[in-house]
Amino acid sequence: GSIVNDSSSFGNNGTLLNGSWTAGKYGSAVNLGLNSSIGISNAAQLNFGKNSFSVSLWFKLASDFNVTQTKSQALLSRYTNPDNNMSIVLKGTDYTNGSGSSGTLQVKMESRGVTDATTSGGYFHTSQNSWVGGQWYHAVVIFDRNGTNSTIYINGQPAKGGGTDLSVTDTFNINYVPNPWVFGYGNFDFTNLSVPVILAGAVDDIRIYNKILSQNEVGHVMNNEAVAYVSENNTKGIVAG
């Protein structure tokens, strides 16, 4: 696939599989669809362990998505096994696990390194359950190791509608999910292993921070302004370089 260059100093280049370039929120974006994705290898600086981190991106759907949508769409998927996986998914009626209803953007983190069918991962979701096709949305997900500050921002505003807290002692060690960071395609739960879901739309300005972004920093990111970081994935072509 094509190389998606990291415009930060960390060299976390991505690989574009079967996607195409299009006009983005800032510069160029990537159109994704059937069997297409952006994959970023799990580099050492992206192994956050039990530390907090944030994921930011712009997305635009090809068509409206709401409570009646039968098929989920994956913004981010990292799947190793039923006990070690994380995802950011627009939830269709086919996704029955978790805290959110259909139409919401749901986040899952389950990474404890052991097989334990008696416990489940942490889920949280947006209150928003309707998304307009053709419109750009800015999403930031905060993965807080202490649980209390895990949240979602949509277009710069707090948007968490509910869910369970992540627990550093139970479900939070990202190093147990060694798979690449895959945007726009993948598995989100053991219930959909045979049929990975896609994102029918475009993504732009993918960033990964090894810190909890404040709401003020989220605003800077949304406006394509600099934010201090140690690990950040900024990919030229997908983001403004």
Side-chain angles (χ1 to χ4, degrees), residues 62-142:
S63 59
D64 293 352
F65 191 98
N66 53 45
V67 296
T68 65
Q69 194 76 22
T70 59
K71 189 70 173 176
S72 299
Q73 297 196 38
L75 298 179
L76 169 64
S77 172
R78 301 184 69 203
Y79 194 95
T80 301
N81 57 49
D83 297 286
N84 298 283
N85 56 88
M86 62 173 286
S87 59
I88 303 173
V89 171
L90 288 168
K91 189 174 184 180
T93 57
D94 60 336
Y95 190 2
T96 57
N97 291 338
S99 57
S101 62
S102 58
T104 61
L105 186 152
Q106 179 168 280
V107 179
K108 181 188 180 186
M109 166 67 83
E110 186 167 8
S111 53
R112 51 185 179 269
V114 297
T115 300
D116 184 358
T118 63
T119 60
S120 61
Y123 298 86
F124 53 101
H125 61 272
T126 60
S127 54
Q128 182 171 344
N129 61 6
S130 181
W131 314 84
V132 178
Q135 176 177 317
W136 283 106
Y137 293 94
H138 185 245
V140 175
V141 178
I142 309 297

